[in-house]
């Protein structure tokens, strides 16, 4: 409040309101280093020295191929069926026509797993002919990040990756870790669940088509991350533990659990000890030479530890979450190394705020934070203290004209909170966002600024916005326990109330039945005994349709796929769930 009382005094003492509206036409711009950085991401196939390893860089995603005596091993499979199909064509034309003997997922993020069925028939995976390797916590992490919180994460990802940008803004936009992740596409999933696992904090030695691989859990950039070491060729396949080339994304603004910096540091130390001759990341180019690789891994380790440890030091001095970015400041000169520690993707300030919440919670310690005035009411009171809408808008316009786009956006935000259709305030904030967005070389921030501007101008098409990140078909492929896990978060207490309902699910191929119970607006499930509650029999596909919201119990009953008392109870349970997809505004609220 002190901040806005100060603003009130400054506004009253400042020059009168502008006689006319400011020019809100912001000429397009992009920092030269941001434009140059985009050139590091090329569409190419690289043979890694004289080893049997190949790296395919394609549309912001890398796929790695290892050629064995009688077959191929594919590490990661791309964002969708279209990407995987194009990559497979390159493999067949430039690398080998040998059959694919195994797939390895380095981690659970969608740009690494959604193309598998293009490379191998799902039936060959199901019958054990072609194994798919992943970390033991892969499915849980996929469920937590890719299913449980998918609606909000998919929306935020669309902003972060600039999915709706057009014209010059789209042409000059690239994702700082990866290049062209914002390229359009149908995003049809070809994901196949993994069948073989590497223990968390463990390792596994395998030999496929005569090639020895040492798979080890690393758990830094993603909790499910594994990397691969080929001892006979001195090749390290680092996955996303080295992002490339950019400052690491220690916290993803699209929305993730706090990333474990200490695991990430330990993973890099382990990689250093291999003394690799070649390092093959899953984004960015191959790195050659033991000395260069060691120097890069050491610098990456140090910049992560510096950001993490200095944040903890400042937290222990009483610095709060919102104060951390200024207190931490820019990286010191001795840690700067273009491009691997330049903040094209991750940002130290964003990571610091994530660590604050992850280690000691959202609470600053000031009890004023415990029951704050609701956001809209606070905005009304602050605007009233400043003299009403007209002087606030005039002050925002002056700030914009004088080059303070951040203050202009903050003042306009107050007016938009009070009246969502205040188009003068919205257009002003959009122009401020463009100034801020055009000035930054951090792609995450650039994406949120420019997509936010489109939302403010009413140019954002919500329908289909999240389609490239959301793959309902992946839900149908989850184990039954994880299917049921994700609908826990869909219970609407206004519909469910204190109801107590239970049904026994007998799912094809599951052996023991599942008991699904709705009680006091909480959904529970566990292995159950037939006869404890009414029984309903259904296939995995039908359960997947229900859980994803693409089909209703009522429709399945009408189609003859469900019947009996169990169907009636199942209908009551699913009627208490909120399975509708609601467009989410991130800025106009």
């Amino acid at each position: 409040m002190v901040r806005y009382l100060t603003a009130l005094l400054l506004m009253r003492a400042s020059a009168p309101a502008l006689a006319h509206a400011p020019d809100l036409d912001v000429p397009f711009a992009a920092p030269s280093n941001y434009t140059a950085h985009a050139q590091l991401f090329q569409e190419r196939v690289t043979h890694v020295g004289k080893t049997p390893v190949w790296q395919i860089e394609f549309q912001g995603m890398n796929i790695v191929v290892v050629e064995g005596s009688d077959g191929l091993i594919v590490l990661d499979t791309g964002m969708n069926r279209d990407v995987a199909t194009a990559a497979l064509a390159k493999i067949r034309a430039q690398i080998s026509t040998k059959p694919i003997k195994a797939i390895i997922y380095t981690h659970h993020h969608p740009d690494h797993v959604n193309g598998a069925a293009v490379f191998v028939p799902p039936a060959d995976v199901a019958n054990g002919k072609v194994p798919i390797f992943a970390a033991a916590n892969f499915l849980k992490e996929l469920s937590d990040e890719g299913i449980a919180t998918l609606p909000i994460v998919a929306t935020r990802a669309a902003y972060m990756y600039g999915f709706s940008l057009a014209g010059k803004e789209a042409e000059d936009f690239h994702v700082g870790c990866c290049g062209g992740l914002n390229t359009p596409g149908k995003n049809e999933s070809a994901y196949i669940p993994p069948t073989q696992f590497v223990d968390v904090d463990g390792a596994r030695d395998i030999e496929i088509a005569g090639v020895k691989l040492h798979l080890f859990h690393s758990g830094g950039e993603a909790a499910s991350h594994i990397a691969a070491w080929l001892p006979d060729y001195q090749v390290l396949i680092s996955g996303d533990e080295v992002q490339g080339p950019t400052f690491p994304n220690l916290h993803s603004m699209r929305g993730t659990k706090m990333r474990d910096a200490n695991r990430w540091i330990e993973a890099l130390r382990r990689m250093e000890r291999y003394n690799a001759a070649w390092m093959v990341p899953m984004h960015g180019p191959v790195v050659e030479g033991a000395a260069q690789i060691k120097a890069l891994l050491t610098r990456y380790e140090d910049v992560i530890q510096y950001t993490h440890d200095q944040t903890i030091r400042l937290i222990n001095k009483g610095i709060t979450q919102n104060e951390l970015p200024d207190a931490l400041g820019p990286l010191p000169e001795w840690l700067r190394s273009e491009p691997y520690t330049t903040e094209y993707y991750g940002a130290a300030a964003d990571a610091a705020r994530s660590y604050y919440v992850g280690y000691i919670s959202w609470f600053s310690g000031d009890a004023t934070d415990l029951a704050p005035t609701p956001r809209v009411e606070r905005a009304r009171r602050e605007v009233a203290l400043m003299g009403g809408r007209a002087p606030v808008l005039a002050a925002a316009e002056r700030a914009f004209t004088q080059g303070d786009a951040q203050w202009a956006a903050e003042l306009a935000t107050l007016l938009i909170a009070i009246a969502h259709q205040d188009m003068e305030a919205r257009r002003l904030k959009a122009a401020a966002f463009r100034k801020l967005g055009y000035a930054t070389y951090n792609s995450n921030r650039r994406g949120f600024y420019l997509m936010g501007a489109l939302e403010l101008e009413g140019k954002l098409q919500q329908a289909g916005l999240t389609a490239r990140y959301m793959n309902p078909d992946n839900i149908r492929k989850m184990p039954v326990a994880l299917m049921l896990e994700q609908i826990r978060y869909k219970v609407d207490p206004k519909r469910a109330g204190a109801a107590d309902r239970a049904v026994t699910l007998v799912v094809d191929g599951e052996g023991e039945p599942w008991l699904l119970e709705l009680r006091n607006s909480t959904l529970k499930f566990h292995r159950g005994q037939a006869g404890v509650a009414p029984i309903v029999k259904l296939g995995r596909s039908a359960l997947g349709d229900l859980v994803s919201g693409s089909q209703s119990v009522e429709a399945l009953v009408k189609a003859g796929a469900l019947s009996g008392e169990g169907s009636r109870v199942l209908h009551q349970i699913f009627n208490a769930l909120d399975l509708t997809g609601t467009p989410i505004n991130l800025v106009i609220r």
Side-chain angles (χ1 to χ4, degrees):
M1 184 62 73
V2 172
R3 178 182 188 182
Y4 289 99
L5 288 174
T6 303
L8 168 63
L9 295 174
L10 290 174
M11 286 163 53
R12 288 181 173 173
S14 62
L18 297 177
H20 56 82
D23 181 6
L24 300 182
D25 185 18
V26 181
F28 177 82
S32 58
N33 66 326
Y34 177 75
T35 303
H37 184 254
Q39 302 308 308
L40 296 175
F41 302 97
Q42 301 290 331
E43 185 175 317
R44 59 193 164 193
V45 177
T46 301
H47 189 190
V48 181
K50 295 181 179 179
T51 77
V53 181
W54 303 73
Q55 182 201 60
I56 302 170
E57 295 177 79
F58 186 70
Q59 292 191 13
M61 294 148 274
N62 292 356
I63 292 171
V64 175
V65 178
V66 181
E67 184 177 10
S69 57
D70 61 346
L72 307 178
I73 306 161
V74 172
L75 290 92
D76 290 347
T77 62
M79 174 69 87
N80 53 46
R81 185 176 292 277
D82 289 346
V83 168
T85 299
L88 181 60
K90 291 177 181 292
I91 292 171
R92 294 311 186 205
Q94 301 183 49
I95 301 175
S96 173
T97 58
K98 294 176 183 176
I100 293 167
K101 296 284 189 175
I103 289 174
I104 299 169
Y105 293 147
T106 61
H107 58 296
H108 68 275
H109 292 160
D111 54 317
H112 297 262
V113 304
N114 280 344
V118 170
F119 295 97
V120 296
D124 285 355
V125 177
N127 65 23
K129 181 179 178 181
V130 178
I132 298 182
F133 295 88
N137 60 347
F138 175 98
L139 291 171
K140 176 60 175 169
E141 293 299 322
L142 176 62
S143 176
D144 285 354
E145 186 178 324
I147 294 178
T149 58
L150 186 55
I152 186 62
V153 170
T155 300
R156 291 166 65 113
Y159 280 61
M160 179 168 146
Y161 298 136
F163 281 174
S164 297
L165 299 182
K168 191 66 175 170
E169 288 185 346
E171 291 170 15
D172 282 72
F173 184 86
H174 77 283
V175 179
C177 71
C178 319
L181 281 183
N182 64 330
T183 52
K186 296 178 182 177
N187 205 38
E188 181 185 349
S189 175
Y191 164 72
I192 305 175
T195 58
Q196 299 285 327
F197 298 96
V198 177
D199 289 342
V200 174
D201 294 328
R204 182 168 178 175
D205 292 308
I206 60 175
E207 183 172 336
I208 298 170
V211 178
K212 296 177 182 177
L213 297 98
H214 178 71
L215 307 180
F216 59 96
H217 181 255
S218 51
E221 193 267 351
S224 67
H225 203 291
I226 61 175
W229 168 244
L230 280 66
D232 292 342
Y233 304 100
Q234 300 294 291
V235 173
L236 171 66
I237 300 173
S238 55
D240 280 8
E241 300 293 30
V242 177
Q243 295 182 315
T246 177
F247 182 93
N249 206 29
L250 301 176
H251 165 69
S252 179
M253 292 169 69
R254 70 177 178 267
T256 62
K257 292 181 283 188
M258 187 184 81
R259 291 177 171 175
D260 191 330
N262 289 317
R263 281 185 180 273
W264 205 330
I265 291 164
E266 181 53 40
L268 294 167
R269 289 175 180 168
R270 181 172 187 166
M271 292 178 182
E272 289 169 33
R273 292 194 290 269
Y274 287 123
N275 199 33
W278 302 90
M279 184 172 72
V280 186
M282 287 306 179
H283 297 290
V286 173
V287 183
E288 177 183 357
Q292 184 174 345
I293 293 167
K294 183 174 178 57
L296 170 55
L297 290 172
T298 300
R299 180 62 58 90
Y300 226 57
E301 174 196 334
D302 290 351
V303 79
I304 293 174
Q305 185 171 348
Y306 177 91
T307 303
H308 175 268
D309 292 5
Q310 289 303 309
T311 298
I312 301 302
R313 181 180 72 86
L314 293 168
I315 289 172
N316 283 327
K317 288 182 175 293
I319 304 299
T320 63
Q321 182 181 3
N322 289 335
E323 296 166 337
L324 276 171
D326 288 334
L328 183 64
L331 289 175
E333 288 294 333
W334 62 83
L335 280 176
R336 296 185 185 180
S337 176
E338 177 68 25
Y340 281 95
T341 65
T342 303
E343 294 169 303
Y344 292 114
Y345 192 46
D350 301 334
R353 284 178 281 204
S354 173
Y355 294 146
Y356 189 93
V357 174
Y359 276 100
I360 63 168
S361 92
W362 57 270
F363 180 43
S364 70
D366 183 339
T368 308
D369 295 342
L370 295 177
T373 303
R375 181 175 180 271
V376 175
E377 178 59 24
R378 181 184 177 93
R380 286 196 184 100
R381 295 183 187 185
E382 289 171 349
V383 168
L385 280 172
M386 295 179 197
R389 176 185 180 278
V392 173
L393 181 62
E397 291 172 340
R398 278 195 301 275
F400 180 82
T401 300
Q402 294 167 6
D404 191 347
Q406 178 63 33
W407 184 234
E410 290 182 28
L411 290 174
T413 296
L414 296 175
L415 301 178
I416 296 165
I418 297 169
H420 290 176
Q421 296 308 313
D422 189 335
M423 293 308 298
E424 282 187 292
R426 282 171 55 171
R427 283 190 288 268
L428 177 60
K429 185 172 178 178
F433 269 14
R434 284 213 164 82
K435 274 196 174 183
L436 295 166
Y438 291 162
T440 184
Y441 54 78
N442 181 278
S443 73
N444 293 347
R445 295 184 173 198
R446 192 177 182 92
F448 276 102
Y449 281 131
L450 301 185
M451 290 287 288
L454 292 178
E455 181 188 324
L456 288 159
E457 293 167 338
K459 297 177 181 177
L460 201 61
Q461 297 298 319
Q462 291 284 3
L465 179 64
T466 60
R468 269 183 276 170
Y469 207 82
M470 296 179 77
N471 281 294
D473 187 53
N474 286 2
I475 296 174
R476 300 181 184 92
K477 298 172 183 174
M478 298 295 287
V480 169
L482 292 180
M483 282 192 201
L484 299 176
E485 171 81 14
Q486 69 97 22
I487 59 170
R488 285 177 49 199
Y489 316 112
K490 306 290 188 180
V491 176
D492 184 342
K494 292 180 180 178
R495 301 181 197 173
D500 191 344
R501 303 278 187 271
V503 66
T504 299
L505 299 179
V506 177
V507 183
D508 290 350
E510 275 294 295
E512 283 187 87
W514 290 88
L515 184 68
L516 182 65
E517 182 180 11
L518 178 69
R519 188 178 73 231
N520 291 324
S521 292
T522 65
L523 193 68
K524 310 163 193 303
F525 60 92
H526 54 82
R527 291 290 191 178
Q529 294 294 323
V532 172
I535 295 173
V536 63
K537 297 180 179 180
L538 72 171
R540 277 184 51 86
S541 178
L543 179 60
D545 288 341
L546 291 175
V547 167
S548 67
S550 61
Q551 189 66 277
S552 68
V553 174
E554 186 177 26
L556 289 175
V557 170
K558 286 182 178 178
L562 298 176
S563 62
E565 173 65 12
S567 299
R568 185 184 67 80
V569 178
L570 190 66
H571 184 261
Q572 292 172 337
I573 291 174
F574 271 80
N575 268 357
L577 305 181
D578 179 7
L579 296 171
T580 58
T582 305
I584 301 170
N585 283 334
L586 299 184
V587 183
I588 304 171
R589 57 188 186 86

